[in-house]
Amino acid sequence: MSRSPAIPELRADLLAWYRENRRDLPWRRTGDPYAIWVSEIMLQQTQVATVIPYYQAFLERFPDVASLAAAGEEEVLARWSGLGYYRRARMLHAGAKAVMERHGGRVPRDPAEILALPGVGRYTAGAIASIAFDLCEPILDGNVRRVLSRWYALDDPPGSGLDRTLWERAALLAQGPDPGDLNQALMELGATVCSPKDPRCLTCPVRRHCEACRQGRPEAFPRPVPRARTRTVQVAAAWIERGDKVLLERPAGLSPFRGNWDLPAREIPATGGKGRSTGAAGAGEAGAAGVLARELERDHGLEVAPEAQAGRARHGILDRRLDIAILPCRLLKGRVSGRKNLRWAPLAELEEQAVSGVTHKIRRALAGRPGKQPV
Ligand code: SF4
């Protein structure tokens, strides 16, 4: 049977540990709600070490809500390039515009108004309200979910009301002095001590409050979420050069890629029967080239001549694993200039373009080939 820890003692132990041990991260040196908002959005699905340089550069270019709201989407996405999940950047941009329109350029203090901003969910609203405004608002992200499940030994299956219970526990914990530090301490403990597979219970500052530890089976909590099966998708990507530029496409739902601008690419439809490899590998290089040529002509009126495959790259997006055949192509016919969804990007500037990680991988795969220097 699980026991509930005494909240005042638990809070005190956690806060004392956090103040001694917290990592010195750039967003912890500010109380600016806008900067905290930017950091929280960047940290979604992305590791701290990756975020730090992007956060600093982004704030240098867009130091406040007004500068972000006034920027063009292209530039915002370019500054986000390499962080991935570009929807976050679009929503943050939309959020900055909403703050200008609804709140005169000041991030609102009321949690309900923060939550009403585009791209702000319950977790982000709680983080901004507690960290920037010192309000007793809870947070629940992956780290906090794991820590609370262990403290309270909750192993209810996902979807059984577990999240509601965890939000309630997080709300109880947030009540009291320094809710912002308390919330950050919860996240910090999950990130640095109470890890999913190897929790460091022996040196954990709150082990005396932890029911999972008392039971001697911390890894049993929370109950693992059944993994969605990953699906391998065969893709053909076109590398089309003109002088010192390469052709990029704004995917717009046609491409299996998800960046703002990426190499033109198309999924190769499955051709095999049960258990067979499908797509580019199954249909062969000629099949991949045929699909690419046909679909670029259909979608853009471009006539291209794919050459021999120059390399392969692999890239995971959510539950899909892309197996990408890279085909250099000659552009025989078709107009690019003035098109909304096509443009020539200077090779030397490709690093700074808002292309997704997959296009960077392809560029690197080609750069490693003898006799090929795409960038
Ligand atoms: S005692 Fe172990 S399981 Fe419990 S919070 Fe600490 S590290 Fe996590």
Side-chain angles (χ1 to χ4, degrees):
M1 200 178 110
S2 73
R3 296 181 310 187
S4 291
I7 287 177
E9 287 84 354
L10 173 54
R11 281 183 112 264
D13 286 351
L14 186 59
L15 282 169
W17 167 81
Y18 176 67
R19 285 169 184 151
E20 279 284 303
N21 296 281
R22 66 181 184 177
R23 291 169 292 174
D24 179 24
L25 302 174
W27 43 89
R28 289 186 176 156
R29 296 178 211 138
T30 178
D32 176 2
Y34 163 70
I36 290 164
W37 180 13
V38 171
S39 73
E40 290 298 339
I41 299 293
M42 285 188 170
L43 285 163
Q44 289 168 10
Q45 320 272 349
T46 311
Q47 306 232 335
V48 164
T50 306
V51 166
I52 290 173
Y54 282 93
Y55 169 83
Q56 289 167 328
F58 196 85
L59 283 188
E60 212 163 282
R61 170 59 190 90
F62 309 118
D64 48 31
V65 173
S67 54
L68 178 57
E73 185 180 276
E74 288 286 309
E75 189 189 357
V76 175
L77 292 169
R79 301 278 166 169
W80 202 272
S81 175
L83 262 185
Y85 301 101
Y86 290 89
R87 186 170 182 277
R88 294 181 300 174
R90 290 195 182 92
M91 297 309 279
L92 180 62
H93 191 208
K97 290 180 181 173
V99 169
M100 293 305 292
E101 285 160 19
R102 298 179 205 162
H103 305 288
R106 292 171 72 92
V107 177
R109 185 184 163 84
D110 179 345
E113 289 181 333
I114 301 175
L115 187 59
L117 295 171
V120 174
R122 192 172 174 189
Y123 162 80
T124 306
I128 297 170
S130 62
I131 298 169
F133 298 116
D134 222 21
L135 299 176
C136 298
E137 291 292 320
I139 55 161
L140 189 67
D141 68 351
N143 281 328
V144 178
R145 186 173 280 112
R146 182 171 61 258
V147 168
L148 295 185
S149 298
R150 288 175 175 175
W151 286 353
Y152 295 99
L154 297 169
D155 69 347
D156 311 52
S160 62
L162 176 63
D163 262 23
R164 193 175 61 225
T165 306
L166 292 173
W167 273 108
E168 286 166 6
R169 307 278 166 120
L172 284 176
L173 281 162
Q175 300 302 315
D178 303 317
D181 274 2
L182 192 280
N183 281 342
Q184 291 187 86
L186 274 170
M187 291 190 275
E188 189 82 345
L189 190 80
T192 62
V193 178
C194 192
S195 57
K197 293 216 173 87
D198 191 20
R200 292 171 22 218
C201 300
L202 281 178
T203 54
C204 176
V206 290
R207 69 193 302 259
R208 70 185 178 115
H209 307 286
C210 181
E211 177 61 16
C213 177
R214 195 188 70 78
Q215 293 182 10
R217 49 187 198 117
E219 294 93 339
F221 305 93
R223 187 185 292 210
V225 181
R227 285 194 145 216
R229 282 184 56 185
T230 52
R231 184 168 67 92
T232 298
V233 175
Q234 302 294 340
V235 170
W239 183 275
I240 306 173
E241 282 186 23
R242 191 188 68 178
D244 60 352
K245 294 183 174 160
V246 65
L247 186 68
L248 295 183
E249 175 190 42
R250 197 202 294 265
L254 302 167
S255 165
F257 298 166
R258 290 286 184 275
N260 181 38
W261 290 93
D262 274 309
L263 298 178
R266 294 295 180 271
E267 186 173 331
I268 310 303
T271 56
K274 255 190 189 167
R276 274 191 60 189
S277 169
T278 59
E285 199 176 311
V291 169
L292 199 53
R294 248 189 335 273
E295 299 210 5
L296 292 184
E297 178 153 31
R298 179 198 68 194
D299 299 332
H300 299 297
L302 299 183
E303 196 179 311
V304 301
E307 297 173 353
Q309 182 178 307
R312 296 193 84 82
R314 289 195 167 74
H315 187 72
I317 300 179
L318 300 175
D319 62 342
R320 295 175 311 145
R321 184 178 300 277
L322 306 185
D323 181 10
I324 305 157
I326 310 164
L327 301 175
C329 298
R330 280 179 298 121
L331 178 59
L332 305 176
K333 222 163 99 184
R335 186 173 58 82
V336 170
S337 63
R339 304 285 296 275
K340 222 168 70 189
N341 292 327
L342 290 175
R343 71 185 172 90
W344 294 108
L347 285 165
E349 289 173 25
L350 205 55
E351 282 289 354
E352 291 143 37
Q353 307 287 323
V355 296
S356 69
V358 65
T359 285
H360 287 304
K361 272 187 194 168
I362 291 171
R363 182 183 54 75
R364 284 196 295 272
L366 287 181
R369 292 182 68 243
K372 274 271 165 196
Q373 292 95 30
V375 179

